[in-house]
Amino acid sequence: MATSTTLATSSIATAIDMPPKSSLHRRKPSEHKAHSSTRRTKDTKYRHVFATHSLPRTSCLSQDSDTLPSFIGFRNLMILVLIVSNLRLMIVNLQKYGVLICISCHDYSRSDVVTGLLLYLLVPAHLFVTYLIELAAAWQAKRAYARISKEDDNDTPAKYAAALRSFNYTWYIVAAFHSINATMNLYIATKYVYYDIYHPGIGTMCELHAVIVFLKCASYALTNRDLRHAYLHPKQADPLPELYKTCSYPQNINMKNLCYFWWAPTLVYQPVYPRTDNIRWSFVFKRLAEVAGLSIVVWIASAQYAAPLLQNSLDKILTLNFTSIAERVMKLSTISVFCWLCGFFALFQSALNALAEVMRFGDREFYGDWWNVHSIRTYWTTWNKPVTNFMRRHIYSPLVGRGVPPAVAQIIVFLFSGVLHELLVGVPTHNIIGVAFMGMMIQIPLIALTDVIQKVKWIQGKVAGNMIFWVSFCLVGQPLAALLYFFAWQGKYGSTSKQIQESPAMHIFHRR
Amino acid sequence: MATSTTLATSSIATAIDMPPKSSLHRRKPSEHKAHSSTRRTKDTKYRHVFATHSLPRTSCLSQDSDTLPSFIGFRNLMILVLIVSNLRLMIVNLQKYGVLICISCHDYSRSDVVTGLLLYLLVPAHLFVTYLIELAAAWQAKRAYARISKEDDNDTPAKYAAALRSFNYTWYIVAAFHSINATMNLYIATKYVYYDIYHPGIGTMCELHAVIVFLKCASYALTNRDLRHAYLHPKQADPLPELYKTCSYPQNINMKNLCYFWWAPTLVYQPVYPRTDNIRWSFVFKRLAEVAGLSIVVWIASAQYAAPLLQNSLDKILTLNFTSIAERVMKLSTISVFCWLCGFFALFQSALNALAEVMRFGDREFYGDWWNVHSIRTYWTTWNKPVTNFMRRHIYSPLVGRGVPPAVAQIIVFLFSGVLHELLVGVPTHNIIGVAFMGMMIQIPLIALTDVIQKVKWIQGKVAGNMIFWVSFCLVGQPLAALLYFFAWQGKYGSTSKQIQESPAMHIFHRR
């Protein structure tokens, strides 16, 4: 009996949607007869007459429709089309070039590696010089503190002004030493990378290392300057963060504390950091495996796909064929955004988390969800939190504190960032052509643009802002910059360098 | 005073995220002094010491993180990468082939158009023959009804059996006439399309028209058979849908009713349909504009992108180079899925809605949200509701009603559908190679596969089911079928036909 009911209901209501398992065996006419009175409207013997069209309904994509259907299936289709079309390009690439990946062969010279290793060992020495300067300053501060303590406690404004003058005088000397030390660090590294390291990969690593140490030195010096001021003027001082109480100035000026800062995954010096209780070694190894895996993926992608693409776009730039350059940039953009995402994850998620775990460093917020940003401003404050934190604490915030308008302070931050970017890209490729610097500078009008656009409601401003970010940064900015530096590199060192030097494109570079 | 507070709060808490507009002018030291006691912790003069790392935090992509961030930005990136990479392919296509679109030139002959128009005029005649047969059957039924009414009202089982026998006897004769008429319709159209219409586009339109009229004839005949039975046996009859009461049998057998069914956007005959109150002509024109626009888009896409792609994949099939065939299918899949989506929207959303509006046809559910389906079974019941409704009412449901297991009934539906697909594709391309038929048949094991997979929880079965649908249908099925029919067409008519006839690939076709 149940069979008949199930069958009858299902045959009309759900029909071929899903075969009811209970009705897979034959239906007996007697059962039908018995139920026809109770479930007449559904269990009819007239199979060909039921009203398929019984109610007015709208098409689900019509504007008349009350609710739009979900489009989640199209997301899946997009993923598949992306996979399939890139798989196809990989087949074409293999058919055209064969396997370009070679494990045993390398293109770096012995002298590059030696210079690189020497720089790697020498650069941190500047951090220790910074430490020595601070040690001297702390010694002087301790003496000053003892002298102040002996004197009367009733601080008059005149006395305070005198003390401040004395403090500032000492600070100018300390700052001069720090500046010389930090600048020498950058200068030496840049000089060796630019003149002695041919391989851009090794060069980038050395330059990056020098920039990190430079920023760490600056943060160590500036933070300790404020800590020293608070130490010497306990009455006039603003309160320091609670966290620092366990290691106040000048106790923090010690070798162990410095070494922790040296290796900690941050560019901002604090006497005390939030710490975790223990090191989860399985976590560390998983993150290191991710770094290794992603590095291999990026290496294969660059060697097999990006390299020939860059190579065969040379003649397009040579003849300034703009349609073809656009085509090359477009093709390069997919591989560049892929490498960028892999590299981002490998560095900011895997490597920094592994380092933080080993250092028991508690604050793992190395990045925010920058992929969802609606404004380019937010992108620059979320993708690289270590640098953002440095810029905010040691450049933007002090400038604004001294009365500089925030907009101007921002421009100064971008100027400084632009110089660092040019150092990191232009120096290792031996072409300080200013593209990386200009790339950072162009962010300022773009920020203004997305700030306006994300507020526009009728064009879904937030989506538009996000799209502008992706287009400007990943689909145009990065591949175009890569192409230009590769072209400049080839012009200097490539086999077709003479041709490139005489090309109309090179004249544009030279005219600058 | 407000300025100072805003500035101090913003400089540390939000820093360069957003420049507070109220603090754009210079800050006065006196203001700072006045407020330093009330808002000490935030408004500190120590700019370089605030604790950037004050709390343990996880990276948002870590597994330790409580909530995963949104990934909506990556959806936008996917859309952009798809646009950019296809824009690039369009540039490459233009550079390689130039503009292939030509408005004045056409490749159809005068005789094709004449035969096509003749078929277009003659095919509906079969619907009128169906009408005449039903008119005769209704006349006979009215006579039988009069005879029954005159007799005693006490129906005995014996009398009922005799009446049923008589009814069935008449029905066999009526059914024979209908079968001959409907089969002749298909036969004549198929014969002319196959032998006399060279152009596959015109051929497809004629064959599609014939199939639609065939299905309408069948539905008209089968529905009126059940209505007649209910009319002649009012006592034993199951109730008919309420909707039909305004036009009961045999009043519905009239010219106006038939003509409405002829033009109504449905394949299922009902004496009465849900209707709308008036025709919104602006709606009609918008839909027609969509049809025109999308047709042009599909035409450009096929002429400029699909045609050269198909052309230069011939030699790949010729030499049975499977890697290259796979590459061609992959390239074809994007353009084919694009054309399919445009074509679907143009036909099922725009054209059928326009027709429904003009006919004041109320039920506009011509499709469901098939793009989200988790199972291939659901795809086949949602993408084309007019055909699904026909299959459900006139094949699946009657079969199940007669005791055929639903699974078998489904296979029969797919067999019938496979034959229709082969008619619609094989006949106009003059190559009944069975690919379309086999394409439908392969849906049966695929349905079984997705039925199982969508229930698997740990691999997100629903997403997997949807992916399988897209891959099997749009990314492999359609482009592969298009390639095979194009190859077969070229083998018969193309300039390289001799080469193709002697190729190893053709032997596979012939061995069938």
Side-chain angles (χ1 to χ4, degrees):
Chain A
M1 303 230 307
T3 312
S4 163
T5 315
T6 316
L7 175 71
T9 316
S10 71
S11 65
I12 294 163
T14 64
I16 58 176
D17 271 341
M18 36 188 74
K21 291 226 171 69
S22 58
S23 65
L24 278 168
H25 46 83
R26 285 185 142 261
R27 183 197 196 197
K28 290 175 205 121
S30 61
E31 279 183 4
H32 175 213
K33 215 60 195 171
H35 274 266
S36 58
S37 56
T38 51
R39 299 188 60 87
R40 289 195 88 123
T41 47
K42 293 220 160 187
D43 191 5
T44 169
K45 69 185 164 198
Y46 297 134
R47 296 283 157 188
H48 297 289
V49 290
F50 67 80
T52 302
H53 307 288
S54 54
L55 289 168
R57 284 180 290 195
T58 56
S59 305
C60 64
L61 292 177
S62 277
Q63 285 186 321
D64 306 338
S65 181
D66 298 332
T67 50
L68 265 186
S70 153
F71 291 105
I72 195 80
F74 286 118
R75 184 206 61 183
N76 298 339
L77 175 64
M78 282 201 298
I79 296 174
L80 285 172
V81 168
L82 273 179
I83 294 174
V84 165
S85 51
N86 285 294
L87 216 62
R88 184 187 81 79
L89 290 177
M90 281 159 79
I91 294 178
V92 173
N93 170 289
L94 265 181
Q95 288 181 333
K96 208 166 167 188
Y97 303 110
V99 177
L100 296 176
I101 294 149
C102 164
I103 296 168
S104 58
C105 45
H106 60 79
D107 53 352
Y108 51 85
S109 66
R110 202 186 143 82
S111 82
D112 279 7
V113 178
V114 171
T115 318
L117 280 176
L118 273 175
L119 272 179
Y120 187 78
L121 291 171
L122 286 176
V123 160
H126 293 275
L127 200 57
F128 289 91
V129 174
T130 308
Y131 169 64
L132 291 177
I133 297 168
E134 279 304 316
L135 208 59
W139 176 77
Q140 201 271 351
K142 271 184 230 168
R143 280 187 50 191
Y145 185 79
R147 200 173 54 235
I148 294 166
S149 303
K150 269 183 219 155
E151 287 169 22
D152 287 346
D153 271 353
N154 53 341
D155 291 317
T156 60
K159 249 188 193 168
Y160 177 74
L164 197 67
R165 260 200 309 279
S166 150
F167 175 84
N168 278 343
Y169 177 73
T170 321
W171 165 241
Y172 293 143
I173 297 170
V174 171
F177 277 108
H178 278 309
S179 303
I180 293 166
N181 173 49
T183 314
M184 281 306 287
N185 167 27
L186 267 195
Y187 174 75
I188 295 170
T190 302
K191 184 175 169 291
Y192 276 98
V193 169
Y194 193 78
Y195 290 108
D196 293 338
I197 299 181
Y198 171 82
H199 193 269
I202 297 173
T204 305
M205 278 194 285
C206 290
E207 193 68 23
L208 182 64
H209 184 214
V211 166
I212 290 170
V213 169
F214 169 80
L215 295 177
K216 286 202 184 217
C217 287
S219 183
Y220 192 74
L222 290 167
T223 308
N224 278 316
R225 183 245 177 233
D226 273 7
L227 289 176
R228 192 158 52 242
H229 188 273
Y231 167 70
L232 287 175
H233 310 93
K235 293 280 159 53
Q236 295 85 4
D238 288 340
L240 294 175
E242 287 290 316
L243 188 68
Y244 299 176
K245 291 224 166 119
T246 56
C247 179
S248 57
Y249 192 86
Q251 280 87 56
N252 69 314
I253 308 295
N254 67 63
M255 198 65 183
K256 201 181 152 208
N257 190 289
L258 176 89
C259 286
Y260 187 82
F261 176 54
W262 176 20
W263 282 98
T266 179
L267 298 171
V268 162
Y269 175 69
Q270 289 181 198
V272 184
Y273 293 100
R275 301 286 290 271
T276 57
D277 297 330
N278 56 326
I279 304 173
R280 293 168 296 172
W281 286 105
S282 68
F283 179 91
V284 175
F285 290 124
K286 273 185 208 158
R287 297 295 84 77
L288 291 179
E290 282 169 5
V291 174
L294 286 168
S295 304
I296 292 171
V297 166
V298 171
W299 169 58
I300 292 176
S302 348
Q304 184 73 42
Y305 303 102
L309 225 167
L310 285 167
Q311 201 65 48
N312 64 30
S313 56
L314 279 182
D315 57 329
K316 266 91 180 186
I317 310 185
L318 220 57
T319 51
L320 277 184
N321 179 339
F322 286 112
T323 318
S324 297
I325 293 173
E327 187 270 324
R328 290 287 94 179
V329 168
M330 282 168 155
K331 185 157 189 186
L332 204 55
S333 69
T334 310
I335 188 80
S336 116
V337 80
F338 173 79
C339 288
W340 159 253
L341 291 177
C342 288
F344 168 81
F345 195 90
L347 187 59
F348 284 84
Q349 166 64 15
S350 307
L352 288 187
N353 261 297
L355 181 59
E357 189 69 26
V358 171
M359 300 299 290
R360 294 180 30 237
F361 188 82
D363 186 0
R364 312 285 170 90
E365 210 194 47
F366 304 117
Y367 56 89
D369 58 339
W370 54 265
W371 46 89
N372 299 328
V373 297
H374 313 136
S375 105
I376 288 181
R377 180 200 308 283
T378 322
Y379 169 72
W380 287 106
T381 56
T382 46
W383 88 272
N384 185 340
K385 289 263 184 184
V387 168
T388 304
N389 290 337
F390 180 91
M391 298 292 188
R392 186 173 292 178
R393 193 161 92 159
H394 298 304
I395 302 184
Y396 179 85
S397 184
L399 282 175
V400 171
R402 271 153 220 262
V404 175
V408 175
Q410 258 181 60
I411 292 173
I412 293 171
V413 167
F414 272 98
L415 271 166
F416 181 67
S417 178
V419 171
L420 292 187
H421 274 84
E422 189 64 38
L423 274 183
L424 285 174
V425 182
V427 171
T429 53
H430 313 278
N431 277 289
I432 305 179
I433 54 176
V435 170
F437 178 78
M438 288 314 296
M440 284 307 293
M441 288 304 101
I442 214 164
Q443 301 306 313
I444 296 163
L446 276 176
I447 284 174
L449 177 70
T450 51
D451 274 356
V452 172
I453 281 183
Q454 70 167 329
K455 279 167 201 146
V456 181
K457 271 185 194 128
W458 49 271
I459 53 155
Q460 288 198 288
K462 292 195 168 185
V463 176
N466 187 249
M467 296 266 187
I468 290 176
F469 150 66
W470 283 114
V471 169
S472 70
F473 182 63
C474 291
L475 301 186
V476 177
Q478 281 200 338
L480 194 62
L483 210 57
L484 290 174
Y485 279 101
F486 181 79
F487 181 71
W489 167 271
Q490 288 293 332
K492 206 160 177 180
Y493 301 102
S495 53
T496 49
S497 72
K498 192 131 189 243
Q499 234 179 314
I500 290 173
Q501 290 296 345
E502 288 158 6
S503 78
M506 214 55 199
H507 285 289
I508 294 177
F509 279 136
H510 286 174
R511 233 181 286 153
R512 282 221 183 147
Chain B
M1 302 226 314
T3 313
S4 163
T5 316
T6 316
L7 175 71
T9 317
S10 71
S11 66
I12 293 163
T14 64
I16 57 176
D17 270 342
M18 37 189 74
K21 290 224 173 72
S22 57
S23 64
L24 279 170
H25 46 85
R26 286 186 140 258
R27 186 199 196 195
K28 290 177 204 117
S30 63
E31 279 184 4
H32 176 210
K33 212 67 190 167
H35 274 267
S36 59
S37 57
T38 51
R39 299 189 61 89
R40 288 195 89 119
T41 48
K42 293 219 159 186
D43 192 4
T44 170
K45 66 184 164 201
Y46 297 133
R47 295 282 158 190
H48 297 288
V49 290
F50 67 78
T52 302
H53 307 289
S54 56
L55 289 169
R57 284 181 289 196
T58 56
S59 305
C60 64
L61 292 176
S62 278
Q63 284 185 323
D64 305 338
S65 180
D66 298 332
T67 49
L68 265 186
S70 152
F71 291 105
I72 195 81
F74 286 118
R75 184 207 60 182
N76 297 340
L77 176 63
M78 282 202 297
I79 295 174
L80 285 173
V81 168
L82 274 179
I83 293 173
V84 165
S85 50
N86 285 296
L87 216 60
R88 184 187 81 81
L89 289 177
M90 280 159 80
I91 294 177
V92 173
N93 170 287
L94 264 181
Q95 289 181 332
K96 209 167 165 185
Y97 303 110
V99 176
L100 296 176
I101 294 149
C102 165
I103 295 168
S104 58
C105 44
H106 60 78
D107 53 352
Y108 49 84
S109 65
R110 200 188 146 80
S111 82
D112 279 7
V113 178
V114 172
T115 318
L117 280 176
L118 272 176
L119 273 179
Y120 188 77
L121 291 173
L122 286 175
V123 161
H126 292 276
L127 200 58
F128 290 91
V129 174
T130 307
Y131 169 64
L132 290 179
I133 297 169
E134 280 303 317
L135 209 58
W139 177 78
Q140 201 271 350
K142 272 185 228 166
R143 281 187 51 193
Y145 185 80
R147 199 171 57 239
I148 295 167
S149 306
K150 271 182 218 154
E151 287 171 24
D152 287 344
D153 269 354
N154 54 342
D155 289 317
T156 59
K159 248 188 191 165
Y160 177 72
L164 198 65
R165 259 200 311 279
S166 151
F167 175 83
N168 279 342
Y169 176 72
T170 320
W171 165 241
Y172 293 142
I173 295 169
V174 171
F177 277 108
H178 278 310
S179 303
I180 292 166
N181 173 47
T183 314
M184 281 307 287
N185 166 27
L186 268 195
Y187 174 75
I188 294 169
T190 302
K191 184 175 169 293
Y192 275 98
V193 169
Y194 194 79
Y195 289 108
D196 293 338
I197 299 181
Y198 171 82
H199 194 270
I202 298 173
T204 305
M205 279 194 284
C206 290
E207 191 68 24
L208 182 64
H209 184 215
V211 166
I212 289 170
V213 168
F214 169 78
L215 294 177
K216 286 202 184 216
C217 288
S219 184
Y220 192 74
L222 290 167
T223 309
N224 279 317
R225 182 245 176 232
D226 273 7
L227 289 175
R228 190 157 55 242
H229 188 274
Y231 167 69
L232 286 176
H233 309 92
K235 292 281 159 54
Q236 296 87 1
D238 288 339
L240 293 176
E242 287 291 316
L243 187 69
Y244 299 176
K245 289 221 167 121
T246 55
C247 180
S248 58
Y249 192 85
Q251 280 87 53
N252 68 314
I253 308 294
N254 67 62
M255 199 63 182
K256 199 182 156 210
N257 189 288
L258 176 90
C259 286
Y260 187 80
F261 176 54
W262 176 20
W263 283 97
T266 179
L267 298 171
V268 163
Y269 175 70
Q270 290 180 196
V272 184
Y273 293 99
R275 301 286 290 272
T276 57
D277 296 332
N278 56 327
I279 304 174
R280 294 168 296 171
W281 285 105
S282 68
F283 179 91
V284 175
F285 290 124
K286 274 184 207 159
R287 297 295 84 77
L288 290 180
E290 283 169 4
V291 174
L294 286 168
S295 302
I296 292 170
V297 166
V298 170
W299 169 58
I300 292 176
S302 347
Q304 184 72 39
Y305 303 101
L309 225 168
L310 284 167
Q311 200 65 47
N312 64 28
S313 57
L314 279 182
D315 57 332
K316 267 90 180 186
I317 311 184
L318 220 57
T319 52
L320 276 183
N321 181 341
F322 286 112
T323 319
S324 297
I325 294 174
E327 188 270 325
R328 291 286 94 180
V329 169
M330 282 168 156
K331 186 158 188 185
L332 203 55
S333 68
T334 311
I335 187 80
S336 114
V337 81
F338 174 79
C339 289
W340 161 251
L341 291 176
C342 289
F344 168 81
F345 194 91
L347 187 59
F348 284 85
Q349 167 64 16
S350 307
L352 287 187
N353 261 296
L355 180 59
E357 189 68 27
V358 171
M359 298 301 289
R360 293 180 30 237
F361 189 80
D363 186 1
R364 312 284 171 90
E365 208 194 48
F366 304 118
Y367 56 88
D369 58 339
W370 56 265
W371 47 89
N372 298 328
V373 295
H374 314 136
S375 106
I376 288 181
R377 179 200 309 284
T378 322
Y379 168 72
W380 287 107
T381 55
T382 46
W383 87 272
N384 184 338
K385 290 264 188 187
V387 167
T388 304
N389 289 337
F390 180 91
M391 297 292 187
R392 188 172 291 176
R393 191 161 95 158
H394 297 304
I395 302 185
Y396 179 84
S397 185
L399 282 176
V400 172
R402 270 153 223 260
V404 175
V408 176
Q410 257 181 60
I411 293 175
I412 293 170
V413 167
F414 272 97
L415 271 167
F416 181 66
S417 177
V419 171
L420 291 188
H421 274 84
E422 188 64 38
L423 273 182
L424 286 174
V425 181
V427 171
T429 54
H430 313 279
N431 276 288
I432 305 178
I433 55 178
V435 169
F437 179 77
M438 287 315 293
M440 285 306 292
M441 288 303 102
I442 214 164
Q443 301 305 316
I444 296 163
L446 276 176
I447 284 174
L449 177 71
T450 51
D451 274 357
V452 172
I453 281 183
Q454 70 166 330
K455 280 169 200 146
V456 181
K457 270 185 193 128
W458 49 270
I459 52 157
Q460 289 196 288
K462 292 193 167 182
V463 176
N466 187 250
M467 296 266 186
I468 291 177
F469 150 67
W470 284 113
V471 169
S472 70
F473 182 62
C474 291
L475 301 185
V476 176
Q478 281 199 339
L480 194 64
L483 210 57
L484 290 175
Y485 279 100
F486 181 78
F487 182 71
W489 166 273
Q490 287 293 332
K492 207 160 175 179
Y493 301 101
S495 53
T496 50
S497 72
K498 191 132 191 240
Q499 235 180 314
I500 290 173
Q501 290 295 346
E502 287 158 6
S503 79
M506 214 56 200
H507 285 290
I508 294 176
F509 279 135
H510 286 173
R511 233 182 285 151
R512 282 229 181 132

